[in-house]
Amino acid sequence: MIICRSKADMRATVRDWKRSGQSVALVPTMGYLHEGHLSLVRMALQNSDRVVTSIFVNPTQFGAGEDLDTYPRDEERDLALLTTENVNAVFAPDVDEMYGAGGDTFVEVPGLSGILQGALRPGHFRGVSTVVSKLFNIVAPDIAVFGEKDYQQLTLIRQMVRDLDMPIDVVGHPTVREPDGLAMSSRNVRLNARHRQEALALSKSLELADGLAKSGPDVAALEKAVRQELAKAPSGEIKSVDIRDAETLAELGGRLDRPAVVLLAVRFDTVLLIDQRVVAPA
């Protein structure tokens, strides 16, 4: 496995592969890998000749008071896991290499950046779209694989790729869960025992929503039911519950008459957990 610390080395590595006609997939991560990340890697390996995984904790997507400094990191462990999965190369730059001095250019998808999680975390998605566009320019992948757990992020990146005519196939992978239903996340390790147990309210509320959606309920009533289920976690601060069009993330009103995505954000102390599920009337 090749480890590239510089943009120049990463570009040279991919250039050599492409000269021999090989396709390249990228799996962007912020490290502290878990089974969810590795499932993305396996999907990439199945759909390309070479796979690059990036490890970069991107400071521009963290706001003031968020957990940039405490975000879990363990590069040695990450590299060992990726070696076991037969990843071909890892791109692991530091912040100076990634952004340099005096950078003043951002990429933004305004319509999707300011809603939902973007309203809770101003500037977050501008940081996401900027760093992902930089990774796409550096690695030049044919395929990029993202998890559906970050559903708004996936939708935003797909629109960015369409709008900017990037020749990249953006592939979504279903959310990977722990045996008890909790969506896998690097932040889960920061939950104490009580919060870890209460966090199951997220997946339970999504299961409830899936069952209720089959009858085509009133959207407002469906949201109320989800909030009531989430409220069974007394330590959780419900930051948002949104039911949106599954393709466009447009607001829905009246009765549920098409596939929708239920998007949750709940904070346990300093740990913000998100989860999602696509539901639809029968």
Side-chain angles (χ1 to χ4, degrees), residues 199-264:
L200 297 180
L202 279 81
S203 57
K204 289 177 180 177
S205 69
L206 293 175
E207 290 175 11
L208 175 67
D210 187 50
L212 294 175
K214 289 178 170 54
S215 63
D218 181 81
V219 173
L222 181 59
E223 178 182 333
K224 181 178 179 181
V226 170
R227 286 183 176 275
Q228 288 174 338
E229 185 67 26
L230 286 175
K232 294 178 181 178
S235 301
E237 178 188 359
I238 302 172
K239 302 299 290 184
S240 64
V241 175
D242 293 284
I243 302 172
R244 297 289 183 116
D245 182 281
E247 183 176 352
T248 66
L249 297 185
E251 292 186 81
L252 297 174
R255 299 197 71 82
L256 186 68
D257 60 358
R258 72 191 92 161
V261 60
V262 182
L263 301 160
L264 310 178

Side-chain angles (χ1 to χ4, degrees), residues 3-281:
I3 301 173
C4 300
R5 301 288 182 183
S6 72
K7 291 177 278 191
D9 286 348
M10 187 72 260
R11 286 188 171 113
T13 297
V14 172
R15 186 165 55 244
D16 289 343
W17 292 339
K18 291 198 168 187
R19 280 174 177 164
S20 61
Q22 298 179 87
S23 61
V24 178
L26 171 65
V27 180
T29 82
M30 292 207 299
Y32 210 77
L33 305 181
H34 52 65
E35 180 60 26
H37 296 110
L38 300 182
S39 68
L40 307 184
V41 167
R42 292 172 197 137
M43 175 178 274
L45 287 163
Q46 291 171 2
N47 289 279
S48 64
D49 299 313
R50 299 283 181 171
V51 171
V52 176
T53 300
S54 63
I55 298 174
F56 180 66
V57 180
N58 176 39
T60 67
Q61 68 189 69
F62 289 80
E66 292 189 342
D67 58 350
L68 174 61
D69 292 337
T70 59
Y71 193 86
R73 297 165 171 85
D74 190 340
E75 187 183 271
E76 183 177 354
R77 172 181 167 275
D78 290 343
L79 295 177
L81 288 170
L82 295 174
T83 299
T84 301
E85 295 294 335
N86 297 314
V87 166
N88 302 104
V90 173
F91 180 46
D94 61 22
V95 174
D96 288 342
E97 175 64 19
M98 194 65 180
Y99 284 105
D104 195 32
T105 300
F106 292 92
V107 177
E108 190 165 16
V109 185
L112 289 172
S113 291
I115 62 172
L116 305 170
Q117 280 292 302
L120 290 176
R121 304 176 65 188
H124 169 70
F125 283 114
R126 185 174 79 162
V128 169
S129 53
T130 298
V131 77
V132 171
S133 65
K134 287 173 73 68
L135 288 169
F136 285 175
N137 285 331
I138 295 162
V139 179
D142 302 289
I143 298 169
V145 184
F146 294 84
E148 290 180 356
K149 183 173 76 72
D150 294 315
Y151 197 90
Q152 184 176 358
Q153 172 180 277
L154 175 61
T155 305
L156 178 145
I157 290 167
R158 282 175 167 158
Q159 180 165 339
M160 179 185 76
V161 165
R162 288 195 303 269
D163 291 351
L164 298 182
D165 300 308
M166 296 177 173
I168 300 167
D169 183 15
V170 177
V171 178
H173 188 284
T175 301
V176 179
R177 299 183 179 277
E178 302 285 357
D180 60 7
L182 183 68
M184 289 189 176
S185 169
S186 299
R187 289 185 167 96
N188 289 350
V189 297
R190 296 176 50 218
L191 296 167
N192 64 34
R194 177 187 174 189
H195 293 163
R196 172 65 177 77
Q197 184 62 34
E198 290 189 10
L200 297 180
L202 279 81
S203 57
K204 289 177 180 177
S205 69
L206 293 175
E207 290 175 11
L208 175 67
D210 187 50
L212 294 175
K214 289 178 170 54
S215 63
D218 181 81
V219 173
L222 181 59
E223 178 182 333
K224 181 178 179 181
V226 170
R227 286 183 176 275
Q228 288 174 338
E229 185 67 26
L230 286 175
K232 294 178 181 178
S235 301
E237 178 188 359
I238 302 172
K239 302 299 290 184
S240 64
V241 175
D242 293 284
I243 302 172
R244 297 289 183 116
D245 182 281
E247 183 176 352
T248 66
L249 297 185
E251 292 186 81
L252 297 174
R255 299 197 71 82
L256 186 68
D257 60 358
R258 72 191 92 161
V261 60
V262 182
L263 301 160
L264 310 178
V266 180
R267 186 181 298 279
F268 291 88
D269 194 14
T270 61
V271 183
L272 180 66
L273 299 182
I274 62 172
D275 206 346
Q276 59 75 37
R277 185 161 182 169
V278 174
V279 302

